[in-house]
Amino acid sequence: MTSSSADAGLLVRWDATAGAAGDMALGALLDAGAPLDAVRGQLDLLGLDGWSLDVEPATRGGLAGTYARVRAQVGPAHRRYSWIRDHLSAAPLAAGVRSWALQIFAVLAEAEAHVHRIEVDRVHFHEVGALDAIIDVVGVAAALDALGVARGSCSSVVTGFGVTSAAHGTLPVPAPAVVEILRRSGIPSTPGDLAFETIEVHSGLDAQDHLLAPKRLTALLGAAGWHTTQVLDLPDRFLAVASASAAPRAGRPTR
């Protein structure tokens, strides 16, 4: 994003105090007013078969939000970053959608390259390369573009702690790639009280460029996306607060 477009566009601040996942980010942006038809239309342009996106309102702990669930047929779960990058570059996506999606996957690839000590073009995504993860990321990109989002920032992140199973075996929580993304972005984090993984590596935290002081922003709306599972009494929502440093332009979502 150029500085001029960033100055003119909407700003989104992610509240990830209950964790973050791709479906939560997509649900929050749809809850904020991103048109579902526009998101589905961009996803169709990927030319990938075997997926579906179901969206419905949901209330948990008395809090309203939107639940977005991506289902995908079992297929190749491992794809090289270079394949995903080339596929996104060739697909007839809207320019803004392509830009967001490429940015998100580039952040993921650079983090994976760092923790594996390999060149970026040699990165082989495992869980992130699965079809449902690609749909999550491009769906978030399409929603960000539809809302006119130019920049993002994030609250402190609750990562969970313990261990998790992955393609490389048992990994610590947060996963090494998540730690690297948090380090590079400067997003503060805390393990919290839950002994499991609460941050997906493709959660949408990659769609932020720097932290913004909340006092500089004027909130326009708040929206929430729910996760596929609910743990104990935790209100597992991923909150998107759309903000601007100036008066909203015509066409911005309102509530």
Side-chain angles (χ1 to χ4, degrees), residues 89-115:
S89 297
L93 299 169
V97 177
R98 180 183 296 106
S99 176
W100 274 117
L102 288 173
Q103 175 184 326
I104 293 169
F105 274 112
V107 171
L108 296 173
E110 289 165 5
E112 293 285 357
H114 177 83
V115 300

Side-chain angles (χ1 to χ4, degrees), residues 14-184:
W14 300 113
D15 182 347
T17 52
D23 56 352
M24 297 168 78
L26 181 54
L29 293 169
L30 291 169
D31 198 52
L36 179 58
D37 287 346
V39 171
R40 282 203 175 109
Q42 290 296 305
L43 291 172
D44 286 338
L45 294 176
L46 288 172
L48 299 174
D49 297 325
W51 62 271
S52 65
L53 170 60
D54 299 316
V55 177
E56 61 186 57
T59 301
R60 293 183 182 175
L63 302 174
T66 294
Y67 175 54
R69 182 179 184 88
V70 173
R71 292 182 173 88
Q73 294 178 356
V74 177
H78 301 175
R79 290 179 173 88
R80 289 192 178 278
Y81 165 61
S82 58
W83 183 92
I84 294 175
R85 180 193 60 207
D86 292 347
H87 190 84
L88 293 176
S89 297
L93 299 169
V97 177
R98 180 183 296 106
S99 176
W100 274 117
L102 288 173
Q103 175 184 326
I104 293 169
F105 274 112
V107 171
L108 296 173
E110 289 165 5
E112 293 285 357
H114 177 83
V115 300
H116 293 295
R117 301 297 191 269
I118 59 175
E119 297 296 324
V120 170
D121 280 348
R122 292 183 57 206
V123 167
H124 198 158
F125 287 133
H126 295 283
E127 293 81 4
V128 177
L131 178 58
D132 59 341
I134 294 173
I135 298 301
D136 275 344
V137 169
V138 179
V140 167
L144 288 167
D145 184 62
L147 289 172
V149 173
R151 289 187 295 174
S153 67
C154 189
S155 69
S156 177
V157 172
V158 176
T159 63
F161 62 92
V163 296
T164 189
S165 296
H168 288 289
T170 301
L171 296 177
V173 172
V178 171
V179 172
E180 180 60 14
I181 290 171
L182 294 175
R183 183 189 71 82
R184 290 178 177 223

Side-chain angles (χ1 to χ4, degrees), residues 11 13 151 153 212-219 243-245:
L11 313 178
R13 179 170 174 81
R151 289 187 295 174
S153 67
L212 299 168
K215 65 182 180 181
R216 296 171 53 196
L217 308 178
T218 300
S243 306
S245 55

